[in-house]
């Protein structure tokens, strides 16, 4: 069983839309959680860490539900520049496990 | 530019040849990670170092794969007797706490 499962999409949304991505993780010993963004043919870059209390960074909100082993990312007011692959990541004992990524295309 | 460099950026080799990739992490970071990424997949954890100590290597894909970080600074990943299935992007990341910074990757094509 994979450590992290994500819906690969693709998600095609119009500019200004709100879009939500979800991921689940299998290991209850997972210690910390992240969302990374990866543009085509580029390296992944940290978007935000995810905390149980939820955290927000501008148009982006991340949430963690430890009981359900579930992580979410909400993007409000989508911009064309948000088009990318969004990777869910869990840290288990300083080892980082990535989901397959969810592809987002924001359409003008 | 994250401050992590990888060399070479691209490598084409023939099946059966050995290849070695280098990663130079951010200098003050003590942890260094290697990943493999294939098309349509997320990065797959291979191994990691804390300083010069390799703390996990059970995820290396086969005994043809090995990694070193002899002085706790740069690291190398070697693949011996390459196979066509080894064609992928090999990514290196450095970290001091929990945030990883990735290099641009080495794209390997095995013919």
């Amino acid at each position: 069983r994979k450590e992290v499962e994500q819906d690969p999409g693709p998600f095609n949304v119009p500019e200004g839309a709100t879009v939500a991505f979800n991921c689940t993780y299998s290991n209850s010993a997972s210690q910390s959680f992240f969302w990374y963004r990866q543009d085509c043919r580029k390296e992944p870059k940290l978007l935000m860490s995810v905390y149980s209390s939820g955290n927000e960074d501008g148009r982006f909100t991340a949430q963690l539900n430890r009981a359900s082993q579930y992580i979410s990312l909400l993007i409000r007011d989508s911009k064309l520049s948000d088009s990318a692959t969004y990777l869910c990541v869990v840290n288990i004992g300083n080892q980082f496990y990535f989901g397959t990524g969810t592809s987002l295309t924001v359409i003008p | 530019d994250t401050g992590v460099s990888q060399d070479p950026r691209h490598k084409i080799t023939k099946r059966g040849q050995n290849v070695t990739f280098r990663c130079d992490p951010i200098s003050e970071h003590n942890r260094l990670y290697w990943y493999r990424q294939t098309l349509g997949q997320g990065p797959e954890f291979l191994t990691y170092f804390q300083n010069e100590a390799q703390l996990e290597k059970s995820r290396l894909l086969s005994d043809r794969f090995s990694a070193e970080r002899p002085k706790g600074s740069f690291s190398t990943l070697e693949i011996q007797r390459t196979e066509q299935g080894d064609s992928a992007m090999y990514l290196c990341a450095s970290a001091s706490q929990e945030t990883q910074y990735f290099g641009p990757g080495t794209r390997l094509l095995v013919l």
Side-chain angles (χ1 to χ4, degrees):
Chain A
R1 185 179 176 189
K2 285 190 172 181
E3 288 84 2
V4 183
E5 300 272 5
Q6 274 185 269
D7 177 355
F11 285 65
N12 299 314
V13 303
E15 261 185 300
T18 295
V19 61
F21 306 137
N22 303 315
C23 102
T24 56
Y25 61 94
S26 59
N27 192 329
S28 59
S30 299
Q31 296 158 274
S32 51
F33 309 87
F34 308 88
W35 284 99
Y36 275 71
R37 169 190 169 132
Q38 188 171 27
D39 293 292
C40 189
R41 302 183 76 83
K42 297 280 192 180
E43 71 274 18
K45 292 186 178 175
L46 179 67
L47 181 65
M48 58 199 306
S49 302
V50 189
Y51 306 113
S52 296
S53 53
N55 48 304
E56 189 172 311
D57 182 3
R59 300 180 292 108
F60 298 82
T61 301
Q63 194 78 45
L64 166 66
N65 183 322
R66 283 192 183 268
S68 302
Q69 296 186 191
Y70 167 98
I71 304 159
S72 65
L73 177 69
L74 184 77
I75 305 175
R76 290 181 299 279
D77 188 24
S78 299
K79 311 289 184 192
L80 297 177
S81 58
D82 294 335
S83 298
T85 296
Y86 291 83
L87 297 156
C88 176
V89 185
V90 302
N91 172 8
I92 307 170
N94 285 330
Q95 297 171 45
F96 294 83
Y97 296 95
F98 285 72
T100 55
T102 300
S103 174
L104 171 67
T105 301
V106 180
I107 303 163
Chain B
D1 183 2
T2 61
V4 180
S5 61
Q6 290 187 247
D7 183 67
R9 294 290 303 276
H10 303 273
K11 178 71 177 179
I12 300 173
T13 192
K14 292 183 180 178
R15 191 174 52 186
Q17 298 294 304
N18 298 345
V19 294
T20 300
F21 308 142
R22 176 177 169 130
C23 171
D24 286 89
I26 295 168
S27 58
E28 58 267 29
H29 287 181
N30 58 4
R31 278 189 279 127
L32 185 150
Y33 294 82
W34 284 101
Y35 295 87
R36 182 181 78 160
Q37 188 173 24
T38 54
L39 197 62
Q41 301 297 314
E44 178 184 10
F45 171 80
L46 297 178
T47 187
Y48 88 105
F49 295 84
Q50 178 135 343
N51 300 313
E52 64 275 13
Q54 189 172 14
L55 296 186
E56 176 57 58
K57 55 183 178 180
S58 66
R59 295 268 181 161
L60 285 167
L61 300 163
S62 78
D63 59 6
R64 297 184 296 106
F65 287 70
S66 62
E68 292 184 341
R69 194 183 184 197
K71 296 181 181 178
S73 56
F74 73 92
S75 176
T76 57
L77 177 71
E78 181 181 17
I79 309 173
Q80 295 183 325
R81 305 180 303 283
T82 52
E83 301 172 357
Q84 287 182 323
D86 296 333
S87 297
M89 174 75 88
Y90 290 85
L91 290 161
C92 168
S94 75
S96 60
Q97 301 295 328
E98 289 193 317
T99 301
Q100 294 185 90
Y101 296 88
F102 282 84
T106 295
R107 191 171 295 278
L108 173 66
L109 177 61
V110 182
L111 302 176

